[in-house]
Amino acid sequence: MILQLALLLIGFVLLIKGADILVEGASKLASLLHVPEIVIGLTIIAFGTSAPEAAVSITSAYKDSASIAIGNVIGSNICNVLLVLGTSGAIGTLSLKKTTYMIEIPFVMIMTVVLLILGYINHSLSRVDGIILWIFFLIFLCYLYILTQNNEIIEDIPIIDENDHIWKLILMIILGMICVIWGSDVSVKSASIIAEKLGMSERLIGLTIVAFGTSLPELVTCISASLKGQNDLAIGNIIGSCIFNILFVLGTTAIVSPNSIAFEKSFLIDGMISLASLIIFVLFINKNLELRRIGAILMLLFYMGYLVFIL
């Protein structure tokens, strides 16, 4: 058991660091090749925060551990909203952009409902369902593009210096890909073994341990942004990640999976909790579009209660 826990931790480290290296290398290489920053921001940077979830979910689907794939996405979204935003809001004041409050949060709510409907209809996510999710994903990318045309800034575009040679960046991309693929393989294997030894279902492992591990990049980024006073970046990162998790991660997983991904009835409850977490978050937003600190603390308590409920 100790060995498997150690391997799970190593897998998470490989996933997170691999995603960082991959995104930095790919972003800088794209800049060197004169790819517009808007394209880099909407693709490579945006993909970066969901890379761990994508790697784990796709690997799970190929290893007949589909419950980990879906549980990972739903669990990560619950963790992102209640734990990550709750922690950040308890540390500092989080404020929303009007577009995030009026458009992006309702959009992720609608996409959560769409996911539940697709899963409920045939008790699985088929390749057709994956294509439907990808169509919504492309619509979301178009929305992001429109925002940039209205002078919205794409954050985190890396700055190139004289040491960034093409061969070095290609090596970073290859190394990052190896770490992400290897890390996801190690994480899924160890999580499955732990679940079996503890008598826990793969769904439960996906909703808790794996979801928390793959949400670590968002947790670190959000807390850092909150401490620096970059409030809208903190919330935008989380809401954007939730959308990417549903549309890009599950959409891609459903498309490339050799079989339809089984959608357990229990995921309907988990999905409703994910939707409820967003509603709870919105209820604690004041008229100045700021998250009340008492609300952030209550969100953390709700997350603890959720863990007790599913465990």
Side-chain angles (χ1 to χ4, degrees), residues 38-117:
I38 175 62
V39 176
I40 299 173
L42 294 181
T43 56
I44 300 171
I45 299 297
F47 166 77
T49 56
S50 292
E53 285 89 349
V56 167
S57 294
I58 293 172
T59 301
S60 299
Y62 271 95
K63 291 183 177 294
D64 294 324
S65 299
S67 293
I68 289 181
I70 298 177
N72 175 36
V73 166
I74 296 178
S76 289
N77 284 5
I78 294 172
C79 182
N80 282 345
V81 176
L82 295 182
L83 177 62
V84 178
L85 287 182
T87 301
S88 301
I91 292 174
T93 301
L94 290 183
S95 60
L96 288 77
K97 288 184 178 179
K98 189 174 182 179
T99 53
T100 300
Y101 184 75
M102 299 295 294
I103 299 176
E104 292 154 26
I105 292 179
F107 185 71
V108 72
M109 288 180 178
I110 294 171
M111 290 304 99
T112 301
V113 173
V114 168
L115 172 62
L116 296 180
I117 292 174

Side-chain angles (χ1 to χ4, degrees), residues 1 3-5 7 65 68 186-200 202 205:
M1 177 67 74
L3 174 61
Q4 296 305 324
L5 287 171
L7 288 174
S65 299
I68 289 181
V186 171
S187 299
V188 171
K189 281 183 178 178
S190 56
S192 298
I193 293 173
I194 291 172
E196 183 178 348
K197 290 188 175 182
L198 292 178
M200 297 172 66
E202 289 183 340
I205 286 290

Side-chain angles (χ1 to χ4, degrees), residues 24-37 40 44 157-160 169:
E24 182 180 355
S27 300
K28 288 187 175 181
L29 180 61
S31 294
L32 277 178
L33 297 177
H34 305 293
V35 176
E37 286 190 354
I40 299 173
I44 300 171
I157 299 294
I159 299 175
I160 301 173
L169 298 177

